[in-house]
Amino acid sequence: DQQVKQNSPSLSVQEGRISILNCDYTNSMFDYFLWYKKYPAEGPTFLISISSIKDKNEDGRFTVFLNKSAKHLSLHIVPSQPGDSAVYFCAAYNTDKLIFGTGTRLQVFP
Amino acid sequence: GAGVSQTPSNKVTEKGKYVELRCDPISGHTALYWYRQSLGQGPEFLIYFQGTGAADDSGLPNDRFFAVRPEGSVSTLKIQRTERGDSAVYLCASSSLTVMGYTFGSGTRLTVV
C-alpha cells in the first residue's frame, strides 16, 4: 500500500523554465511533508518542507504547495537550472519515520 | 565527522552469506535510522534507534535482519542468510531530533549474487 505517490517517474524541463513535481498521499493524519533531492551515489539531501498548518512554503527558487483537501503537494522550481537535474523524493513524516514516494527524475536541459 | 559515514560503499556477497553494514552518524546525533532503497523505489524505513535502544523496528522485513547500536553512536545492520531480493542500497541517517535535521549517508550498495 503506497501511502505517498509520485506518479511521474520523469520530467524534462528547459533551463530557465518552471519545474513542477507532484506528490499525492493517502493518509490524512500526515502533518509534515518534505522534499529530498538525490544525486547518483549520494544519499538524499533535504530540500524544503511544509507543515500541514500551512499551504505554501518558499525558499529561494523552491516553493512547496500543500492542498490538504486533495491530499496533494507540489514542488515548484523557478527558474530551473541544469544543476537541479536529480531525482526528487516527496516524503511524509509519520511519528518517527519518513515515508517516501518513488521519486521523479528531473532533467533540466540547456 | 562532518557527515554520516557508511562502510563499505559497495558489497557483493553470495546468496546465503552473512553481511554487516556499518554506519557512523554525525557526532552528537542521538537518533539513527536505517532505510533500504530498492531499484526504482523510494527509501523504505527499516529501524530507528534512540540512543542505544531500537525505538521502532517495525520496518525490518524478517528475522534475518538485525541492527545494533551498542554505545549509542556507531550502528551495524546485520543480514543473515542473504537472498537475492536483499540487493538494494542501504541508507543510514542520523538526526538531532528535528525532522529537518535528518542527514543521510551515501549508502551501501549490497548485491547478492
Side-chain angles (χ1 to χ4, degrees):
Chain A
D1 178 29
Q2 194 80 25
Q3 296 189 69
V4 178
K5 301 176 187 178
Q6 293 177 258
N7 292 319
S8 298
S10 63
L11 176 67
S12 189
V13 171
Q14 188 172 32
E15 181 178 7
R17 303 279 203 160
I18 184 171
S19 296
I20 300 176
L21 296 92
N22 294 303
C23 177
D24 297 292
Y25 62 96
T26 57
N27 189 338
S28 58
M29 298 301 291
F30 290 153
D31 58 6
Y32 206 83
F33 302 91
L34 305 92
W35 285 92
Y36 279 81
K37 177 178 179 179
K38 187 180 184 304
Y39 293 116
E42 294 184 12
T45 55
F46 170 75
L47 194 57
I48 192 169
S49 63
I50 189 165
S51 164
S52 61
I53 62 173
K54 295 187 174 183
D55 56 17
K56 177 182 174 181
N57 188 26
E58 192 171 351
D59 183 2
R61 296 186 297 114
F62 302 91
T63 302
V64 56
F65 295 92
L66 175 62
N67 182 333
K68 283 173 53 181
S69 61
K71 297 193 185 72
H72 177 83
L73 62 156
S74 61
L75 174 68
H76 293 211
I77 307 173
V78 182
S80 301
Q81 299 174 353
D84 296 330
S85 298
V87 177
Y88 289 78
F89 290 99
C90 169
Y93 183 70
N94 184 20
T95 314
D96 52 22
K97 61 179 79 73
L98 293 173
I99 300 173
F100 287 87
T102 53
T104 296
R105 181 177 300 278
L106 173 66
Q107 183 180 7
V108 180
F109 59 93
Chain B
V4 177
S5 176
Q6 291 189 247
T7 54
S9 55
N10 280 284
K11 176 72 176 178
V12 180
T13 191
E14 292 181 347
K15 179 175 178 295
K17 298 287 190 182
Y18 167 84
V19 296
E20 290 190 351
L21 312 179
R22 176 187 168 106
C23 173
D24 258 293
I26 291 174
S27 179
H29 280 189
T30 58
L32 184 145
Y33 311 81
W34 285 97
Y35 284 76
R36 175 169 74 172
Q37 185 177 10
S38 302
L39 194 63
Q41 302 296 315
E44 293 179 297
F45 171 78
L46 294 177
I47 187 169
Y48 156 54
F49 286 91
Q50 181 56 250
T52 60
D56 184 349
D57 65 357
S58 61
L60 294 177
N62 51 59
D63 61 6
R64 295 187 298 107
F65 289 74
F66 190 69
V68 296
R69 195 185 185 199
E71 297 179 357
S73 178
V74 171
S75 177
T76 305
L77 178 66
K78 308 180 181 195
I79 311 174
Q80 298 178 321
R81 305 183 305 280
T82 51
E83 300 176 357
R84 292 198 178 89
D86 299 335
S87 297
V89 175
Y90 288 81
L91 294 163
C92 176
S94 68
S95 169
S96 56
L97 286 186
T98 65
V99 66
M100 285 185 288
Y102 231 87
T103 302
F104 281 90
S106 297
T108 294
R109 180 175 295 278
L110 175 66
T111 304
V112 182
V113 297

